[in-house]
Amino acid sequence: MENKKIKRDAVLVLLCIIISAAVYFIINIYVKKDGAYAVVKVDGEIIRSLELNKNTSVIVHGYQGGSNIIVVDNGQVYMTDADCPDKLCERTGRISRTGESIVCLPHRVVVEIQGNTAERIDSVVQ
Amino acid sequence: MKGTKESQRIYKMVMCGVLTALAMIFSYIESVIRIPLPIPGIKLGVPNIAIITVLYVVGTKEAITVNFIRISLTALLFGNINSFLFSMAGAILSMLTMIILKKINFFSTVGVSVAGGVMHNFGQIIAAAFIMGSSAILYYLPVLIITGTVTGAIIGAVAALVAERVKRQAEKNL
Ligand SMILES: [Zn+2]
């Protein structure tokens, strides 16, 4: 009985890893394309939409008064100077492809890359 | 377990107290450890060692109670309302899954813990996507499921050792 259970455990572990690895690759191939906009949401509401080909930096005030600075630099977006306790948003680093996001859970701030007009913008090189 | 009803009742009570304290220490340790992967909602699930031990040694009702007390006290001491909401969403889903899987007796402690770990991360990320109105957060799911599986397996193996030892000790003393 115990042996059987351990075999089932192993099957469960393998299934979880295989399925999520497959989903991971599908997302990378079919969802992640070059992005065009960074959409900033606070507590579920869109507050800004930043063009990726215009370098800028904006300060965002999140849930419970926290602040994050969002920087657009050379088509990439990153967060800096966040006063959240975990600094997870800063450690996420740079994102630029659709489906990618930077999340600051304590401030309820999300930056999402979107690109419905990505092709059009691609052809306009500065 | 032999012993009188009264001594068993006291044993259960003391066990719950000790394991709640242990779960809180684990919660604190977990909040200090920095996981190199910058992914929202990622956790090692160390407190689950204590919760699984309660589930296997004491009982279902007690495991739910201990986990609820642990989450509330941890949020009060080291967290905030946000972290409380996300941990609750993860914990409810994870507890339910582990209780059902333990009842149907299909997996060992490791399998139960893996399912619990995966469902914990699943619940947290769904809650985050919902609260922050962002479906893009769900793209973190595959990585969260893999890490939940790996940490869940390790935590489950440790919890099985702890539970077995605690049970043996109880049989000796009661
Ligand atoms: Zn942050």
Side-chain angles (χ1 to χ4, degrees):
Chain A
M1 191 63 201
E2 279 316 300
N3 259 336
K4 238 186 199 166
K5 280 192 197 171
I6 290 167
K7 260 183 211 154
R8 290 177 190 148
D9 290 351
V11 171
L12 179 70
V13 168
L14 279 178
L15 269 181
C16 285
I17 291 177
I18 292 168
I19 292 172
S20 30
V23 174
Y24 180 82
F25 285 115
I26 289 170
I27 290 172
N28 266 293
I29 294 164
Y30 293 103
V31 178
K32 299 204 171 167
K33 302 262 157 68
D34 287 332
Y37 291 95
V39 174
V40 183
K41 292 180 185 172
V42 174
D43 210 5
E45 272 174 59
I46 298 175
I47 58 152
R48 291 295 279 267
S49 179
L50 309 167
E51 275 180 63
L52 286 187
N53 56 5
K54 277 187 192 146
N55 289 358
T56 176
S57 85
V58 292
I59 184 157
V60 172
H61 295 284
Y63 183 70
Q64 289 180 329
S67 72
N68 306 55
I69 292 177
I70 296 165
V71 182
V72 180
D73 173 42
N74 269 325
Q76 296 177 317
V77 187
Y78 62 92
M79 245 188 225
T80 178
D81 288 306
D83 56 3
C84 57
D86 59 11
K87 303 271 190 269
L88 206 85
C89 46
E90 288 182 21
R91 291 199 288 136
T92 305
R94 292 164 172 260
I95 59 168
S96 61
R97 316 197 71 202
T98 52
E100 290 182 332
S101 60
I102 302 176
V103 182
C104 184
L105 281 182
H107 296 168
R108 295 193 184 170
V109 174
V110 193
V111 181
E112 280 173 31
I113 304 290
Q114 290 182 2
N116 34 17
T117 50
E119 283 81 11
R120 184 178 58 83
I121 283 167
D122 262 354
S123 55
V124 187
V125 184
Q126 254 98 53
Chain B
M1 236 187 276
K2 306 180 289 287
T4 62
K5 265 220 165 101
E6 185 61 12
S7 69
Q8 280 188 21
R9 199 180 66 86
I10 293 169
Y11 168 78
K12 280 188 173 184
M13 227 159 64
V14 172
M15 238 22 248
C16 285
V18 171
L19 287 165
T20 306
L22 189 66
M24 289 201 54
I25 294 167
F26 285 155
S27 288
Y28 176 70
I29 292 172
E30 194 174 60
S31 73
V32 174
I33 296 174
R34 275 203 166 183
I35 302 166
L37 291 172
I39 288 169
I42 202 164
K43 286 247 170 73
L44 292 174
V46 190
N48 225 14
I49 294 173
I51 305 305
I52 291 172
T53 306
V54 181
L55 183 63
Y56 275 83
V57 176
V58 189
T60 305
K61 255 185 290 166
E62 289 81 359
I64 295 172
T65 315
V66 168
N67 206 6
F68 184 73
I69 293 173
R70 176 206 46 113
I71 292 164
S72 311
L73 288 178
T74 311
L76 213 62
L77 292 173
F78 332 110
N80 51 46
I81 182 73
N82 248 342
S83 58
F84 176 75
L85 279 178
F86 298 126
S87 333
M88 259 334 238
I92 289 170
L93 212 56
S94 160
M95 277 303 312
L96 271 177
T97 310
M98 292 199 297
I99 288 166
I100 292 166
L101 287 183
K102 184 190 172 261
K103 272 228 166 88
I104 63 170
N105 203 23
F106 189 76
F107 296 110
S108 86
T109 322
V110 174
V112 171
S113 170
V114 165
V118 167
M119 291 316 270
H120 184 273
N121 289 351
F122 194 72
Q124 270 201 332
I125 206 76
I126 298 270
F130 190 74
I131 289 174
M132 314 219 279
S134 165
S135 53
I137 296 179
L138 296 177
Y139 292 131
Y140 286 112
L141 253 177
V143 183
L144 277 169
I145 290 176
I146 290 182
T147 53
T149 304
V150 175
T151 56
I154 298 166
I155 299 294
V158 176
L161 291 176
V162 175
E164 199 197 313
R165 248 150 248 219
V166 171
K167 239 183 204 162
R168 217 187 299 146
Q169 207 61 34
E171 267 151 22
K172 225 188 284 172
N173 294 331
L174 282 173

